[in-house]
Amino acid sequence: MQTTFQPRIFSGIQPSGGLTLGNYLGALRRFAGFQGSGAETIYCVVDLHAITVWQDPEKLRHNTREVAAAFMAAGVDPAISVLFNQSQVSQHAELAWLFNTVARVGWMYRMTQFKDKAGKNSENSSLGLLAYPSLMAADILAYHATAVPVGDDQKQHLELTRDIAAKFNHDYGQEFFPITEPLIEGSATRVMSLRDGSKKMSKSDPSDASRINLTDDADTIAQKIRKARTDADPLPGTFDGLADRPEARNLVNIYAALSGETPDQILPRFEGQGFGAFKPALAELAVSVLAPITTRMSDFMGDPAEIDRILGKGADRATEIAQPIVEKTKEIMGMIRSR
Ligand code: AQP
């Protein structure tokens, strides 16, 4: 008999630096829309993931509050959604350990994020960086989440979550964990760096000019877009005409995601013109979309004690859901539960 799982959305963001336009378009801006969709919504600041690379403790605390502020500024309502930071719910780390015994080492070495972040010196990276996807599977499956809205860069980790769930279910002969669906949609599933169209925009890129931060002011946004790497050719009338122009394609995709149009609706307006015309239009649009969010974030950041209170309350609600699921996992695995 097929097990049916109640619809539940889970997603997380690392407090590993200031949030970028990539985080916003690929993930954050979609979160509020799931509230009231009939699915329970659970959103998490994943601080245990962030520490897989060194974080200054004071900055980690600040960034954790800032990501929470960004969730709320983007419309996540803590009275509706469960909003918390991962390390306050011990079930994430516990289930990750159990999954470390299910997942295979070879699966972890194949992850492109590990290869990118560990670089040439992988022997010297933290063990946590290698095991990251096992913790991510625990984040999702501790809630029996059925769907996860993420950017395209997380697709491989989501597939690994499905593999862990399927192997657990197979090894223990029961359909205990759902096979979670990735929700990767829209024209900005992978926003690329403003300096290099082959690299994704990332909060941990050493070059600040490579990204737009959610805390950048209007002048900084305009300046970064003006300096974004492009080419000298005029824009074509259709998106197909940008096949070999990754930087141009990226800017058009960003425009489309911000305006809610498709690239093919936008390009006829700029056909035959160069970036001298396109970039100021993009900057104006980016500022108009981001400025209200930046303002709301800074309002929330004005009361850090209130953010901490919200995260604590969210952690209590999260624990109520995760605890029985992790307890049952242990029981299925043969561990005595006598207290
Ligand atoms: N460039 C991007 N385009 C679209 N979506 C993106 N996301 C990240 N970068 C882009 C999505 O944002 C969510 C949160 O990501 P994360 O904080 O868990 O870590 P990440 O994917 O590793 O993002 P960063 O910004 O590159 O962080 P660092 O530099 O610390 O590794 C996810 O849904 C992600 O897909």
Side-chain angles (χ1 to χ4, degrees):
M1 199 185 74
Q2 191 85 15
T3 311
T4 47
F5 293 92
Q6 134 187 18
R8 223 176 241 155
I9 304 276
F10 175 93
S11 200
I13 296 190
Q14 293 187 73
S16 46
L19 290 173
T20 71
L21 180 66
N23 298 130
Y24 177 68
L25 293 177
L28 198 53
R29 72 166 178 163
R30 302 164 60 206
F31 294 162
F34 294 108
Q35 297 175 142
S37 68
E40 193 168 8
T41 43
I42 304 175
Y43 297 122
C44 185
V45 187
V46 288
D47 46 8
L48 296 175
H49 283 284
I51 56 165
T52 56
V53 296
W54 164 254
Q55 303 293 329
D56 174 81
E58 210 40 62
K59 278 195 191 137
L60 181 65
R61 263 186 285 275
H62 172 86
N63 290 339
T64 300
R65 293 185 182 117
E66 197 170 78
V67 173
F71 273 115
M72 294 189 283
V76 169
D77 179 351
I80 301 171
S81 295
V82 180
L83 176 63
F84 66 105
N85 59 315
Q86 188 186 25
S87 62
Q88 295 210 74
V89 180
S90 59
Q91 282 72 21
H92 290 245
E94 277 185 64
L95 188 59
W97 177 259
L98 303 179
F99 285 165
N100 281 346
T101 68
V102 176
R104 307 289 92 182
V105 174
W107 299 358
M108 302 293 157
Y109 278 122
R110 277 198 288 280
M111 295 295 108
T112 52
Q113 179 174 291
F114 174 71
K115 290 184 204 160
D116 289 348
K117 288 197 174 176
K120 291 196 180 77
N121 200 8
S122 65
E123 290 286 309
N124 201 30
S125 65
S126 76
L127 185 55
L129 190 65
L130 181 65
Y132 183 113
S134 188
L135 178 58
M136 181 162 156
D139 299 336
I140 296 163
L141 296 173
Y143 302 95
H144 276 180
T146 50
V148 178
V150 276
D152 187 62
D153 63 310
Q154 291 298 332
K155 191 173 172 190
Q156 199 184 27
H157 288 165
L158 244 297
E159 278 160 10
L160 202 137
T161 297
R162 292 161 63 94
D163 290 344
I164 290 176
K167 186 167 180 337
F168 182 98
N169 291 349
H170 174 266
D171 289 354
Y172 292 97
Q174 47 186 297
E175 243 187 281
F176 182 61
F177 287 113
I179 306 301
T180 308
E181 287 298 327
L183 302 174
I184 303 172
E185 289 149 6
S187 46
T189 56
R190 186 180 282 259
V191 177
M192 308 309 278
S193 157
L194 298 180
R195 307 302 302 161
D196 177 351
S198 67
K199 264 170 65 180
K200 76 160 186 160
M201 184 181 286
S202 169
K203 52 175 119 69
S204 57
D205 191 313
S207 161
D208 190 58
S210 71
R211 62 177 164 264
I212 291 172
N213 302 302
L214 292 193
T215 48
D216 284 344
D217 61 24
D219 287 346
T220 310
I221 293 174
Q223 194 191 36
K224 285 180 177 175
I225 291 177
R226 199 167 53 243
K227 290 195 173 159
R229 193 170 144 192
T230 39
D231 52 48
D233 293 342
L235 284 160
T238 64
F239 200 51
D240 285 349
L242 292 177
D244 303 323
R245 298 168 62 185
E247 280 87 14
R249 209 168 56 230
N250 185 38
L251 294 189
V252 171
N253 267 330
I254 292 174
Y255 192 113
L258 288 168
S259 72
E261 296 165 285
T262 64
D264 281 322
Q265 285 171 317
I266 294 156
L267 280 167
R269 301 206 292 274
F270 293 96
E271 186 173 6
Q273 300 182 67
F275 285 94
F278 183 80
K279 282 179 169 177
L282 175 59
E284 195 182 328
L285 176 62
V287 169
S288 73
V289 173
L290 296 182
I293 295 160
T294 309
T295 307
R296 281 201 294 275
M297 266 174 80
S298 121
D299 289 347
F300 284 119
M301 285 302 277
D303 192 351
E306 175 62 7
I307 295 182
D308 294 0
R309 195 193 60 79
I310 288 169
L311 292 175
K313 231 175 139 202
D316 288 342
R317 287 171 68 198
T319 303
E320 275 172 33
I321 305 170
Q323 195 169 34
I325 292 175
V326 175
E327 278 303 302
K328 181 73 187 166
T329 310
K330 290 178 183 169
E331 193 188 308
I332 291 172
M333 293 177 92
M335 290 161 197
I336 292 170
R337 324 300 318 132
S338 55
R339 57 180 279 272

